[in-house]
Amino acid sequence: MHKHSQLLINNLQRISKHSAIAVFWIGCIVIVGWCFDIGLLKSVLPGLVTMKANTAFGFIFSGLSLWAWHQTPGNTKTRLLAQGSAILVFLIGFLTLVQYGWNVDLGIDQLVFQESVDAVATASPGRMALNSAFNFLIVGSALMAIVFPRKNYLSSQILTLVSFLIAYLGLLGYLYGNAYFYKYGSAFTAMALHTAIAFILSTLSIFLANPKRNLVSLITMNNAGGILAQRLILAAVIIPPSICWLMLLGYRYKIYTAELAICLLGIVNVIVFSSLIAWNARALGKIDRKRHNAEASLKQANEDLEQRVQERTQKLEQTLFELRSTQTQLVQTEKMSSLGQLVAGVAHEINNPVNFIYGNLNHAQEYTQDVLNLIELYQKYYPQTEEEIEAEIEAIDLEFLKDDLPRLIGSMKVGSERIKEIVKSLRTFSRMDESQLKEVDIHEGLDSTLMILHNRLKAKPEHPEIQIIKNYGDIPLVQCYAGQLNQVFMNLIANAIDALDEYNQNRSYEEIQDNPSYIRLQTYQDQNTVKIAIEDNGLGIPEESALKLFDPFFTTKPVGKGTGLGLAISYQIVTEKHQGELACVSQPGKGATFEITLPLGIGYSEQMSCSS
């Protein structure tokens, strides 16, 4: 829907108001002429018909009505003034038409002022022209259509157009010197020149009273049609009569004949209107180009805005995703840190009593052996003992004790050594005292991880044990964050065990024995890097999943069995913390291999330089 030009609307309303004021003052000036018998004010020029007093009052009431309508809405006084004046205008025209129609004198023509019987072009002294009376009837009706509450702007505008044509015809009659345009026979009074002008102003004032409504809105619309109407309406009203007047003037001065005047009139009209069409077409073309350029600019601006919004949205989504990922990773890291502290604390608490037990087992073994040797000496030199002692020997089965006690202490010693190895593995895995970069043995980290996961690797009723194949190469110490790297080993080996468990669920016990599950750990040095490969012979990873394997929150495990953060955190630890690489090579049905590449670091480079 097109909008209206507010500037044009304001200007048209201003013209309407000023025209109403002008009509009011024209009526007042003519009344002054009647008061002081000033012929120039009554007839404009000597020899012309005068504007009657009733006509002047009609213009005063007409201007006053529209001026009051333009004032602040809601004011009761101005509203009543507008309505009362409109009714008076209508009555002036109506009563005069009644006098003409029924040939009666109602006494209104010379109610205020007297006029001589020999006045120019006057049928009855003081009586206005028939066309003037009809115009007042129309103007009064048009005013009442807008000043009363139930407004009808369309009817008002149509009525004012009819009144304008009547007045315009009278003006052209004076311009062309043709009395038939402003006087309809000798039985009627002629319309005065300034009466025609005042009617044109009055109808213009009413027609433009509300430029947003009905017919006038066609002019005020801010589109091509409205612009074309704005450019042509004055030309259509002024140019044709002006051309006709010029042609008539040339004919009267006998510059050319009537036939030539008609030909010239047609040619001039073609030239003038062709020029108007060309001028307006050019102007509309410029407007259309500007509109097209504005639409293109708006479209480009919209596209740019949409692009910026999309980019901002993507950035916000990425930022939100990173924040969520960081938050979850922080939680996961805090969990691992708490687990490490727990493991280190448990290992420390177990280590002291285990060391105490292990250290005293050697002494217990020696003391036990001494006691057993002493018993053998007693039996050798005192073979005959008391019956009570013999009974006790049989009760405790002394021979069995002498044979089993050394083995029992040996078993306790083996168990203590096993506990010491587990504690060592726990301490190695946690690395709570190694938060900075430090040269460590990668093999110790792998072995400690396997020790912790031993329970998941051993045989179970539903499947045999998962074999561990160690292909450790001769590699130097690696400068790294040991605790974080052990977390990577834990994630990768645990994922390999999960993959094998899932694979074994669809295989029988005999199939697993024929093709046993295994995890191969391989380490080797490649120039200035160390590579750690963790391989399993499970189902492998599909290609579409392998592309998103290290994305946060991506997981191939069932709901509730994985967070999708283990590999993402492992990738971050290897690539960002250690400036290394973490890659996955997999074929469906042939298992998967995760390969970690770690740089040896500055210390190794300096060592190699010194050796050289």
Side-chain angles (χ1 to χ4, degrees):
M1 183 176 180
H2 295 284
K3 295 182 178 179
H4 296 272
S5 173
Q6 190 58 45
L7 178 62
L8 180 60
I9 288 173
N10 295 337
N11 289 334
L12 293 179
Q13 288 178 332
R14 194 176 296 112
I15 291 172
S16 172
K17 187 175 181 179
H18 291 171
S19 298
I21 295 172
V23 170
F24 173 81
W25 283 111
I26 288 174
C28 291
I29 290 171
V30 172
I31 292 299
V32 170
W34 279 100
C35 289
F36 297 99
D37 195 22
I38 303 174
L40 187 62
L41 299 181
K42 292 189 290 183
S43 60
V44 182
L45 293 174
L48 296 181
V49 64
T50 60
M51 179 189 293
K52 309 308 178 186
N54 287 352
T55 305
F57 283 121
F59 287 132
I60 291 174
F61 294 135
S62 172
L64 192 61
S65 176
L66 202 59
W67 173 84
W69 182 85
H70 274 293
Q71 302 311 303
T72 306
N75 190 313
T76 304
K77 291 183 179 180
T78 54
R79 178 171 56 83
L80 292 176
L81 179 61
Q83 294 172 355
S85 300
I87 293 172
L88 289 175
V89 173
F90 176 83
L91 289 176
I92 289 173
F94 177 75
L95 293 176
T96 304
L97 287 176
V98 169
Q99 291 184 129
Y100 275 116
W102 279 269
N103 194 22
V104 295
D105 187 0
L106 300 177
I108 61 172
D109 297 331
Q110 301 188 84
L111 184 64
V112 180
F113 300 103
Q114 300 295 317
E115 187 180 26
S116 62
V117 293
D118 57 349
V120 177
T122 301
S124 176
R127 182 173 297 179
M128 68 179 69
L130 177 65
N131 45 3
S132 297
F134 187 67
N135 259 8
F136 275 126
L137 180 71
I138 295 174
V139 168
S141 300
L143 285 171
M144 288 190 292
I146 64 174
V147 299
F148 281 93
R150 296 186 64 180
K151 295 176 173 55
N152 191 333
Y153 290 101
L154 179 61
S155 300
S156 175
Q157 291 171 0
I158 293 173
L159 290 173
T160 51
L161 285 178
V162 174
S163 176
F164 172 81
L165 291 176
I166 294 172
Y168 190 59
L169 189 63
L171 180 63
L172 292 180
Y174 282 102
L175 182 65
Y176 299 155
N178 191 334
Y180 290 106
F181 287 179
Y182 55 84
K183 182 181 180 182
Y184 305 139
S186 58
F188 304 102
T189 304
M191 178 184 287
L193 174 61
H194 45 329
T195 299
I197 295 172
F199 271 125
I200 291 174
L201 290 175
S202 180
T203 54
L204 183 66
S205 175
I206 299 171
F207 189 75
L208 300 179
N210 194 335
K212 290 184 180 180
R213 306 296 294 270
N214 303 111
L215 300 178
V216 192
S217 65
L218 299 176
I219 303 173
T220 59
M221 293 292 282
N222 197 13
N223 57 12
I227 294 171
L228 185 64
Q230 295 163 23
R231 288 174 173 268
L232 293 180
I233 189 167
L234 287 178
V237 173
I238 296 174
I239 293 178
S242 300
I243 293 173
C244 291
W245 178 74
L246 290 173
M247 295 298 102
L248 184 61
L249 194 65
Y251 172 75
R252 285 177 178 173
Y253 282 97
K254 298 182 180 180
I255 299 176
Y256 38 73
T257 63
E259 292 80 1
L260 183 59
I262 294 173
C263 292
L264 288 174
L265 179 63
I267 293 171
V268 172
N269 278 330
V270 169
I271 293 172
V272 170
F273 282 99
S274 297
S275 301
L276 284 174
I277 291 170
W279 176 57
N280 283 282
R282 184 178 178 185
L284 290 176
K286 289 181 179 180
I287 294 171
D288 188 65
R289 284 193 297 272
K290 289 181 180 179
R291 180 187 59 79
H292 180 73
N293 293 335
E295 288 178 353
S297 300
L298 181 60
K299 183 179 179 182
Q300 184 63 39
N302 286 334
E303 291 176 355
D304 294 341
L305 180 60
E306 289 178 359
Q307 181 67 24
R308 286 199 295 268
V309 169
Q310 187 176 4
E311 290 176 356
R312 293 286 180 87
T313 303
Q314 290 176 349
K315 288 181 180 179
L316 287 175
E317 289 177 351
Q318 181 65 25
T319 302
L320 182 61
F321 181 80
E322 291 175 355
L323 286 174
R324 183 184 172 194
S325 176
T326 303
Q327 181 184 15
T328 309
Q329 290 180 21
L330 286 174
V331 173
Q332 188 75 4
T333 303
E334 186 64 27
K335 287 181 180 179
M336 293 302 298
S337 176
S338 300
L339 178 60
Q341 292 177 359
L342 177 62
V343 168
V346 171
H348 177 72
E349 293 300 325
I350 295 175
N351 190 52
N352 288 337
V354 167
N355 285 336
F356 174 76
I357 294 171
Y358 184 77
N360 288 322
L361 278 176
N362 291 327
H363 299 293
Q365 189 175 22
E366 292 176 4
Y367 298 158
T368 303
Q369 192 60 46
D370 290 342
V371 172
L372 292 175
N373 290 335
L374 180 60
I375 292 173
E376 287 179 358
L377 286 175
Y378 266 99
Q379 287 179 338
K380 179 179 179 182
Y381 291 104
Y382 299 98
Q384 300 297 326
T385 59
E386 297 294 333
E387 292 182 2
E388 187 178 354
I389 295 175
E390 285 290 340
E392 186 63 28
I393 288 173
E394 290 179 4
I396 66 174
D397 196 356
L398 181 59
E399 293 299 324
F400 174 76
L401 286 179
K402 287 166 60 178
D403 184 54
D404 190 58
L405 187 57
R407 288 198 299 266
L408 178 62
I409 294 176
S411 297
M412 293 173 63
K413 190 173 182 180
V414 172
S416 299
E417 289 176 351
R418 176 67 176 163
I419 293 174
K420 285 184 65 177
E421 290 176 1
I422 293 173
V423 170
K424 182 181 178 183
S425 297
L426 291 174
R427 290 176 62 84
T428 301
F429 177 78
S430 63
R431 298 282 186 178
M432 291 307 296
D433 55 342
E434 297 177 12
S435 60
Q436 300 299 323
L437 279 172
K438 185 178 180 180
E439 290 184 347
V440 297
D441 186 354
I442 294 296
H443 296 157
E444 288 185 0
L446 290 170
D447 291 340
S448 65
T449 304
L450 291 173
M451 178 68 70
I452 293 172
L453 294 173
H454 175 72
N455 185 61
R456 297 191 62 190
L457 296 169
K458 67 182 182 180
K460 295 180 181 179
E462 62 270 15
H463 61 76
E465 70 172 346
I466 297 174
Q467 298 178 8
I468 298 296
I469 303 172
K470 297 181 181 180
N471 294 334
Y472 290 169
D474 185 14
I475 60 174
L477 299 178
V478 177
Q479 194 175 49
C480 64
Y481 297 95
Q484 295 184 11
L485 199 58
N486 288 339
Q487 182 182 346
V488 175
F489 297 154
M490 174 68 75
N491 287 333
L492 296 180
I493 296 174
N495 283 345
I497 296 173
D498 291 338
L500 292 172
D501 287 343
E502 183 180 356
Y503 180 40
N504 290 333
Q505 287 178 359
N506 300 320
R507 298 199 298 165
S508 65
Y509 198 90
E510 289 75 16
E511 289 176 337
I512 298 174
Q513 283 184 325
D514 294 339
N515 183 20
S517 301
Y518 68 82
I519 296 175
R520 178 181 285 111
L521 305 179
Q522 184 179 4
T523 61
Y524 60 95
Q525 181 178 350
D526 183 12
Q527 296 181 356
N528 289 334
T529 61
V530 166
K531 293 185 180 292
I532 304 107
I534 300 174
E535 176 189 351
D536 66 75
N537 63 337
L539 286 172
I541 302 173
E543 184 178 356
E544 60 273 12
S545 298
L547 297 174
K548 300 182 287 183
L549 207 56
F550 301 113
D551 292 348
F553 307 107
F554 176 78
T555 179
T556 58
K557 298 178 182 178
V559 177
K561 290 189 177 182
T563 62
L565 287 172
L567 289 178
I569 293 174
S570 299
Y571 186 83
Q572 186 179 17
I573 290 173
V574 173
T575 58
E576 296 182 11
K577 291 288 187 179
H578 295 87
Q579 307 303 314
E581 296 177 1
L582 176 59
C584 175
V585 179
S586 177
Q587 292 183 2
K590 295 185 178 181
T593 301
F594 285 85
E595 188 176 76
I596 304 170
T597 302
L598 297 174
L600 287 172
I602 300 173
Y604 177 77
S605 301
E606 293 176 351
Q607 182 182 354
M608 294 300 294
S609 299
C610 292
S611 300
S612 301

Short mmCIF file of all heavy atoms in Angstrom, two decimals, residues 300-324:
data_model
loop_
_atom_site.label_atom_id
_atom_site.label_comp_id
_atom_site.label_asym_id
_atom_site.label_seq_id
_atom_site.Cartn_x
_atom_site.Cartn_y
_atom_site.Cartn_z
N GLN A 300 20.18 -5.05 -1.65
CA GLN A 300 21.56 -5.33 -1.27
C GLN A 300 21.77 -5.14 0.23
O GLN A 300 22.45 -5.94 0.88
CB GLN A 300 22.50 -4.41 -2.06
CG GLN A 300 23.98 -4.68 -1.83
CD GLN A 300 24.40 -6.07 -2.28
OE1 GLN A 300 23.93 -6.54 -3.31
NE2 GLN A 300 25.26 -6.71 -1.51
N ALA A 301 21.13 -4.06 0.76
CA ALA A 301 21.25 -3.82 2.20
C ALA A 301 20.62 -4.95 2.99
O ALA A 301 21.17 -5.39 4.01
CB ALA A 301 20.58 -2.48 2.56
N ASN A 302 19.46 -5.44 2.49
CA ASN A 302 18.82 -6.58 3.17
C ASN A 302 19.69 -7.82 3.12
O ASN A 302 19.81 -8.55 4.10
CB ASN A 302 17.46 -6.86 2.54
CG ASN A 302 16.41 -5.84 2.92
OD1 ASN A 302 16.51 -5.21 3.97
ND2 ASN A 302 15.40 -5.66 2.09
N GLU A 303 20.30 -8.05 1.92
CA GLU A 303 21.17 -9.21 1.79
C GLU A 303 22.38 -9.08 2.71
O GLU A 303 22.79 -10.05 3.36
CB GLU A 303 21.62 -9.37 0.34
CG GLU A 303 20.48 -9.80 -0.60
CD GLU A 303 20.93 -9.87 -2.05
OE1 GLU A 303 22.10 -9.49 -2.32
OE2 GLU A 303 20.13 -10.29 -2.91
N ASP A 304 22.97 -7.84 2.73
CA ASP A 304 24.11 -7.62 3.63
C ASP A 304 23.70 -7.81 5.08
O ASP A 304 24.46 -8.41 5.87
CB ASP A 304 24.68 -6.21 3.42
CG ASP A 304 25.29 -6.04 2.04
OD1 ASP A 304 25.60 -7.07 1.40
OD2 ASP A 304 25.46 -4.89 1.60
N LEU A 305 22.51 -7.27 5.41
CA LEU A 305 22.04 -7.41 6.78
C LEU A 305 21.81 -8.88 7.14
O LEU A 305 22.20 -9.33 8.22
CB LEU A 305 20.74 -6.61 6.97
CG LEU A 305 20.12 -6.64 8.36
CD1 LEU A 305 21.09 -6.08 9.39
CD2 LEU A 305 18.81 -5.86 8.39
N GLU A 306 21.16 -9.60 6.19
CA GLU A 306 20.94 -11.03 6.44
C GLU A 306 22.26 -11.78 6.58
O GLU A 306 22.39 -12.67 7.42
CB GLU A 306 20.11 -11.63 5.30
CG GLU A 306 18.65 -11.17 5.30
CD GLU A 306 17.87 -11.74 4.12
OE1 GLU A 306 18.49 -12.47 3.32
OE2 GLU A 306 16.68 -11.44 4.01
N GLN A 307 23.24 -11.38 5.71
CA GLN A 307 24.55 -12.03 5.79
C GLN A 307 25.21 -11.75 7.13
O GLN A 307 25.76 -12.66 7.77
CB GLN A 307 25.44 -11.53 4.64
CG GLN A 307 26.83 -12.15 4.60
CD GLN A 307 26.80 -13.62 4.26
OE1 GLN A 307 25.85 -14.10 3.66
NE2 GLN A 307 27.81 -14.36 4.69
N ARG A 308 25.13 -10.46 7.56
CA ARG A 308 25.74 -10.11 8.85
C ARG A 308 25.01 -10.81 10.00
O ARG A 308 25.65 -11.29 10.95
CB ARG A 308 25.70 -8.60 9.06
CG ARG A 308 26.70 -7.85 8.21
CD ARG A 308 26.95 -6.45 8.78
NE ARG A 308 25.77 -5.63 8.71
CZ ARG A 308 25.47 -4.84 7.70
NH1 ARG A 308 26.27 -4.75 6.67
NH2 ARG A 308 24.36 -4.10 7.72
N VAL A 309 23.67 -10.87 9.89
CA VAL A 309 22.90 -11.56 10.93
C VAL A 309 23.27 -13.04 10.97
O VAL A 309 23.45 -13.62 12.04
CB VAL A 309 21.38 -11.38 10.70
CG1 VAL A 309 20.59 -12.30 11.60
CG2 VAL A 309 20.97 -9.93 10.95
N GLN A 310 23.42 -13.62 9.75
CA GLN A 310 23.80 -15.03 9.69
C GLN A 310 25.19 -15.25 10.27
O GLN A 310 25.41 -16.20 11.01
CB GLN A 310 23.74 -15.52 8.24
CG GLN A 310 23.94 -17.02 8.08
CD GLN A 310 23.76 -17.47 6.64
OE1 GLN A 310 23.57 -16.65 5.75
NE2 GLN A 310 23.84 -18.77 6.42
N GLU A 311 26.11 -14.33 9.91
CA GLU A 311 27.47 -14.46 10.44
C GLU A 311 27.47 -14.29 11.96
O GLU A 311 28.13 -15.05 12.68
CB GLU A 311 28.38 -13.41 9.79
CG GLU A 311 28.65 -13.68 8.32
CD GLU A 311 29.46 -12.57 7.69
OE1 GLU A 311 29.74 -11.55 8.40
OE2 GLU A 311 29.82 -12.68 6.49
N ARG A 312 26.73 -13.28 12.45
CA ARG A 312 26.65 -13.08 13.89
C ARG A 312 26.01 -14.29 14.57
O ARG A 312 26.47 -14.72 15.64
CB ARG A 312 25.83 -11.82 14.19
CG ARG A 312 26.51 -10.53 13.75
CD ARG A 312 27.64 -10.16 14.66
NE ARG A 312 28.29 -8.92 14.24
CZ ARG A 312 27.89 -7.71 14.60
NH1 ARG A 312 26.85 -7.59 15.41
NH2 ARG A 312 28.53 -6.63 14.19
N THR A 313 24.95 -14.81 13.91
CA THR A 313 24.29 -15.98 14.49
C THR A 313 25.24 -17.17 14.56
O THR A 313 25.29 -17.87 15.58
CB THR A 313 23.05 -16.35 13.66
OG1 THR A 313 22.17 -15.21 13.59
CG2 THR A 313 22.30 -17.51 14.28
N GLN A 314 25.99 -17.36 13.46
CA GLN A 314 26.96 -18.46 13.46
C GLN A 314 28.03 -18.25 14.51
O GLN A 314 28.43 -19.20 15.20
CB GLN A 314 27.60 -18.59 12.08
CG GLN A 314 26.65 -19.10 11.00
CD GLN A 314 27.30 -19.13 9.64
OE1 GLN A 314 28.39 -18.59 9.42
NE2 GLN A 314 26.62 -19.76 8.68
N LYS A 315 28.49 -16.99 14.65
CA LYS A 315 29.50 -16.70 15.67
C LYS A 315 28.94 -16.95 17.07
O LYS A 315 29.62 -17.51 17.93
CB LYS A 315 29.98 -15.25 15.55
CG LYS A 315 30.87 -15.00 14.35
CD LYS A 315 31.33 -13.56 14.30
CE LYS A 315 32.23 -13.30 13.09
NZ LYS A 315 32.65 -11.87 13.03
N LEU A 316 27.68 -16.49 17.26
CA LEU A 316 27.06 -16.71 18.58
C LEU A 316 26.87 -18.20 18.84
O LEU A 316 27.11 -18.67 19.96
CB LEU A 316 25.71 -15.99 18.64
CG LEU A 316 25.77 -14.46 18.74
CD1 LEU A 316 24.36 -13.87 18.66
CD2 LEU A 316 26.42 -14.02 20.04
N GLU A 317 26.42 -18.93 17.80
CA GLU A 317 26.26 -20.37 17.98
C GLU A 317 27.60 -21.04 18.28
O GLU A 317 27.69 -21.91 19.14
CB GLU A 317 25.64 -20.98 16.72
CG GLU A 317 24.16 -20.61 16.53
CD GLU A 317 23.60 -21.17 15.24
OE1 GLU A 317 24.41 -21.69 14.43
OE2 GLU A 317 22.37 -21.09 15.04
N GLN A 318 28.64 -20.59 17.52
CA GLN A 318 29.97 -21.16 17.75
C GLN A 318 30.46 -20.81 19.14
O GLN A 318 31.02 -21.67 19.85
CB GLN A 318 30.95 -20.62 16.69
CG GLN A 318 32.37 -21.17 16.81
CD GLN A 318 32.43 -22.66 16.55
OE1 GLN A 318 31.58 -23.21 15.86
NE2 GLN A 318 33.43 -23.32 17.12
N THR A 319 30.24 -19.54 19.55
CA THR A 319 30.67 -19.13 20.89
C THR A 319 29.91 -19.91 21.96
O THR A 319 30.51 -20.37 22.94
CB THR A 319 30.41 -17.62 21.07
OG1 THR A 319 31.11 -16.90 20.05
CG2 THR A 319 30.91 -17.16 22.43
N LEU A 320 28.58 -20.06 21.74
CA LEU A 320 27.79 -20.82 22.71
C LEU A 320 28.25 -22.27 22.76
O LEU A 320 28.36 -22.86 23.85
CB LEU A 320 26.31 -20.75 22.30
CG LEU A 320 25.31 -21.46 23.24
CD1 LEU A 320 25.36 -20.85 24.63
CD2 LEU A 320 23.90 -21.38 22.67
N PHE A 321 28.54 -22.83 21.57
CA PHE A 321 29.01 -24.22 21.53
C PHE A 321 30.36 -24.34 22.24
O PHE A 321 30.59 -25.29 23.01
CB PHE A 321 29.15 -24.65 20.06
CG PHE A 321 29.62 -26.07 19.89
CD1 PHE A 321 28.74 -27.13 20.03
CD2 PHE A 321 30.94 -26.35 19.59
CE1 PHE A 321 29.16 -28.43 19.87
CE2 PHE A 321 31.38 -27.64 19.44
CZ PHE A 321 30.48 -28.69 19.57
N GLU A 322 31.27 -23.35 21.98
CA GLU A 322 32.57 -23.39 22.64
C GLU A 322 32.43 -23.23 24.15
O GLU A 322 33.14 -23.89 24.92
CB GLU A 322 33.48 -22.30 22.07
CG GLU A 322 33.89 -22.58 20.63
CD GLU A 322 34.69 -21.42 20.04
OE1 GLU A 322 34.83 -20.39 20.74
OE2 GLU A 322 35.18 -21.55 18.90
N LEU A 323 31.53 -22.32 24.57
CA LEU A 323 31.31 -22.15 26.01
C LEU A 323 30.78 -23.43 26.64
O LEU A 323 31.23 -23.85 27.72
CB LEU A 323 30.33 -21.00 26.25
CG LEU A 323 30.86 -19.58 26.04
CD1 LEU A 323 29.74 -18.58 26.17
CD2 LEU A 323 31.97 -19.26 27.04
N ARG A 324 29.81 -24.04 25.94
CA ARG A 324 29.26 -25.29 26.46
C ARG A 324 30.33 -26.37 26.51
O ARG A 324 30.43 -27.11 27.50
CB ARG A 324 28.10 -25.72 25.55
CG ARG A 324 27.39 -26.98 26.04
CD ARG A 324 26.34 -27.39 25.04
NE ARG A 324 25.76 -28.68 25.37
CZ ARG A 324 25.03 -29.39 24.54
NH1 ARG A 324 24.78 -28.92 23.32
NH2 ARG A 324 24.53 -30.56 24.89
#
